[in-house]
Amino acid sequence: MKKILVLLISIVSLGASAQHADYTVSSYLDEGIKAPNTHYLGEAWLSRILQEDENLPYNLVKATFKANSTLDWHKHSTTQVLIVVEGIGYYQEKGKEPYIMKTGDIIKCLKDTEHWHSSSKNNDVTYLALYSGETPTEWTEVVSRQYYDAVAEKLKEN
């Protein structure tokens, strides 16, 4: 009985230690690092989950913006997809009305479309950003605190 117990414990511990040996595993639950305060207002955290390489044609980044934080206007050379996993935020494309994005929303932003996205005035937002990294983000215009506040007032979340 003692030998069987030792054998079972050995097998279970061997299986547990081998859990990650054959796979590349990351988690979107990792908080990431506090982003340097450039091209946005407020507080943001970023976690690079997947990095584009010869076998993977896109990046996957988790971004968390604390309430009352926003990115500046920008565009990408490829389509970007935002998958909102938690919270409430704002999204706007140049020439269009702003939109309240919320948990479960998937937003497809076509390449070279100038846009910005953010948390809402009173809520954090966390999203996964899927995009190709062929060229860096092109920052086009500052989203001022006054502009952000006007959008927040216009959209007043429930």
Side-chain angles (χ1 to χ4, degrees):
M1 181 69 165
K2 193 174 188 180
K3 288 182 182 180
I4 292 173
L5 186 57
V6 170
L7 180 63
L8 284 175
I9 290 172
S10 298
I11 291 171
V12 168
S13 64
L14 183 60
S17 68
Q19 176 82 19
H20 295 288
D22 297 332
Y23 300 99
T24 302
V25 177
S26 57
S27 173
Y28 81 89
L29 298 176
D30 293 339
E31 182 177 51
I33 59 167
K34 188 172 183 189
N37 204 334
T38 55
H39 302 295
Y40 72 93
L41 297 170
E43 184 178 338
W45 294 79
L46 300 174
S47 178
R48 290 199 171 279
I49 299 169
L50 297 173
Q51 186 71 42
E52 180 178 11
D53 62 27
E54 64 277 354
N55 297 311
L56 186 68
Y58 54 83
N59 297 295
L60 182 63
V61 174
K62 177 185 128 184
T64 299
F65 281 78
K66 297 300 182 182
N68 204 29
S69 300
T70 181
L71 281 175
D72 288 336
W73 286 96
H74 62 283
K75 59 184 176 177
H76 307 277
S77 62
T78 61
T79 296
Q80 180 185 46
V81 176
L82 301 177
I83 303 166
V84 183
V85 295
E86 185 176 13
I88 301 171
Y90 308 138
Y91 174 85
Q92 184 178 20
E93 294 179 0
K94 198 68 133 185
K96 296 182 180 179
E97 290 296 311
Y99 171 77
I100 295 177
M101 60 181 191
K102 58 196 175 311
T103 303
D105 285 352
I106 300 172
I107 300 169
K108 181 179 177 182
C109 181
L110 298 177
K111 74 178 199 164
D112 296 323
T113 299
E114 199 170 353
H115 66 286
W116 64 277
H117 33 98
S118 69
S119 62
S120 69
K121 193 81 170 162
N122 300 309
N123 293 278
D124 297 354
V125 70
T126 298
Y127 58 82
L128 301 175
L130 182 67
Y131 62 95
S132 175
E134 291 175 7
T135 57
T137 299
E138 182 182 335
W139 300 99
T140 57
E141 186 181 342
V142 170
V143 173
S144 68
R145 176 57 62 196
Q146 294 78 15
Y147 185 81
Y148 174 87
D149 288 345
V151 167
E153 183 64 28
K154 181 178 188 171
L155 296 178
K156 282 249 172 129
E157 68 241 37
N158 300 334

